[in-house]
Amino acid sequence: MVFSLKSAVKPSKRSRVLVRKETTAAYLFLLPSLIFFLGFVIFPIVLCVWTSFFDSTMNSADVFVGLANYKELFQDKVFLGALKNTLIIVVVSVPITCVFSLWVSSVIVDLKGWATSLFRIVFYLPVVTGSVAVTVVWKWMFNNYYGIFNYLGTKTGIIDQNINWLGDERYALACIILILLTTSVGQPIVLYVSALGNVDASLVEAANVDGATSLQAFWKIKWPQIMPTTLYIVVITTINSFQCFALIQLLTSGGPNHSTDTIMYYIYYSAFKLYRYGYGDAMGVVLAIMIAILSAIQFKFGNSND
């Protein structure tokens, strides 16, 4: 008797019909998300790139100008200043956010369960509170007449007189970065606590038995295991820093004297205040390219350390 494996595993007609129905149902469930993704993500991206090659304004027909918008960008002192401010925010906030989050997570992960949960709630609270509410509180704290920073500074003798924190070019950008840091550490801390909690405890105990210090155990055992989480945090924090807008809009509107302009805010100002849609779209394309390149470098660096 000859046994055919092909005939033995060949699905029946009923099975094929069932698989086809399940596949169709799966695509139908995915269809709303797919339509949303195509309509509100892919199409706007394509339209943004297309419009960036036009002189597009509200009350006149679009005029094709080629790369003129891109050439103008790098001759625009306001844009170059916004680019500089954006890079400063990224360079300062990303390392501090990652290092501070990792330090806090390393401290609280070994506490009792209720204590770890309490600290995670405290640090994550600004994330879920909402940018508008958080910004209103910080605006009151930085107020140059009755803000808490001026009050404490003058009472303790740190400063001689009230400082207009958000209205002085010397302090405004630093204040924005400080606020951004407080709203950025919540999610990384939650992720790091979870990642550190999943580190193989037996490896750490073995290292301690062999005489390794806490720093050595962290660097040789914990750090390689939390590297994927670190890479994710670095990339997401970098993107969020590049897209800093709400704080600028609500606190300084780019002032004083454009000292707190960022690329995102200047895109908004050019497109919705000056109605130069093509120029704003050109800035959006440049920003997207910068984020893509930097993210690719971060992924390359992170994968090389695996």
Side-chain angles (χ1 to χ4, degrees):
M1 180 178 180
V2 180
F3 179 76
S4 175
L5 180 61
K6 182 177 180 180
S7 62
V9 298
K10 184 178 181 181
S12 64
K13 181 178 180 180
R14 182 179 180 182
S15 298
R16 291 196 299 271
V17 172
L18 182 60
V19 170
R20 187 162 53 249
K21 288 183 177 180
E22 290 179 346
T23 303
T24 303
Y27 279 114
L28 288 175
F29 278 112
L30 288 173
L31 188 59
S33 297
L34 181 60
I35 293 174
F36 181 87
F37 180 74
L38 291 174
F40 293 93
V41 178
I42 300 300
F43 177 72
I45 290 175
V46 175
L47 185 61
C48 175
V49 176
W50 175 258
T51 310
S52 69
F53 297 108
F54 288 81
D55 181 10
S56 178
T57 58
M58 176 176 288
N59 298 319
S60 61
D62 295 353
V63 179
F64 182 78
V65 294
L67 297 175
N69 286 326
Y70 294 94
K71 292 179 181 178
E72 183 181 349
L73 279 179
F74 296 98
Q75 298 173 354
D76 186 346
K77 293 183 179 180
V78 177
F79 172 77
L80 294 177
L83 175 61
K84 177 184 175 182
N85 292 337
T86 302
L87 293 177
I88 291 175
I89 290 173
V90 172
V91 170
V92 174
S93 65
V94 173
I96 293 178
T97 297
C98 295
V99 173
F100 179 79
S101 301
L102 182 57
W103 173 69
V104 172
S105 302
S106 301
V107 172
I108 69 176
V109 71
D110 294 325
L111 300 178
K112 294 182 179 180
W114 66 267
T116 301
S117 299
L118 176 62
F119 278 107
R120 283 190 294 186
I121 292 173
V122 169
F123 282 106
Y124 199 74
L125 192 59
V127 179
V128 298
T129 301
S131 58
V132 175
V134 173
T135 303
V136 169
V137 174
W138 277 101
K139 191 171 185 178
W140 168 77
M141 295 172 66
F142 280 123
N143 188 279
N144 55 316
Y145 295 111
Y146 51 80
I148 190 172
F149 287 120
N150 278 328
Y151 175 79
L152 293 177
T154 53
K155 288 296 183 181
T156 57
I158 298 177
I159 57 178
D160 298 328
Q161 58 184 2
N162 289 355
I163 297 175
N164 188 5
W165 299 99
L166 298 175
D168 193 319
E169 296 181 29
R170 296 173 296 175
Y171 309 111
L173 187 62
C175 294
I176 296 295
I177 294 175
L178 175 62
I179 301 172
L180 182 63
L181 289 173
T182 63
T183 58
S184 300
V185 297
Q187 185 180 26
I189 288 175
V190 171
L191 293 174
Y192 268 136
V193 168
S194 178
L196 290 171
N198 290 326
V199 172
D200 192 344
S202 62
L203 296 178
V204 179
E205 292 175 0
N208 293 333
V209 171
D210 291 339
T213 63
S214 299
L215 181 60
Q216 290 173 330
F218 173 83
W219 186 250
K220 295 295 184 180
I221 298 174
K222 294 182 179 180
W223 177 250
Q225 296 189 49
I226 65 172
M227 191 61 192
T229 302
T230 300
L231 177 60
Y232 173 80
I233 290 173
V234 169
V235 172
I236 295 300
T237 306
T238 300
I239 294 174
N240 291 337
S241 299
F242 266 110
Q243 296 178 338
C244 180
F245 168 75
L247 294 178
I248 309 298
Q249 166 68 3
L250 296 170
L251 287 176
T252 64
S253 297
N257 195 25
H258 300 290
S259 62
T260 58
D261 269 337
T262 61
I263 297 179
M264 279 296 297
Y265 180 79
Y266 196 44
I267 291 173
Y268 158 79
Y269 181 80
S270 298
F272 300 105
K273 295 289 187 179
L274 303 179
Y275 304 112
R276 298 189 63 192
Y277 305 118
Y279 192 59
D281 285 340
M283 279 187 276
V285 172
V286 171
L287 178 61
I289 293 174
M290 291 174 57
I291 294 175
I293 292 174
L294 190 55
S295 298
I297 294 173
Q298 290 170 338
F299 274 112
K300 183 69 175 179
F301 179 77
N303 293 331
S304 66
N305 289 323
D306 288 346

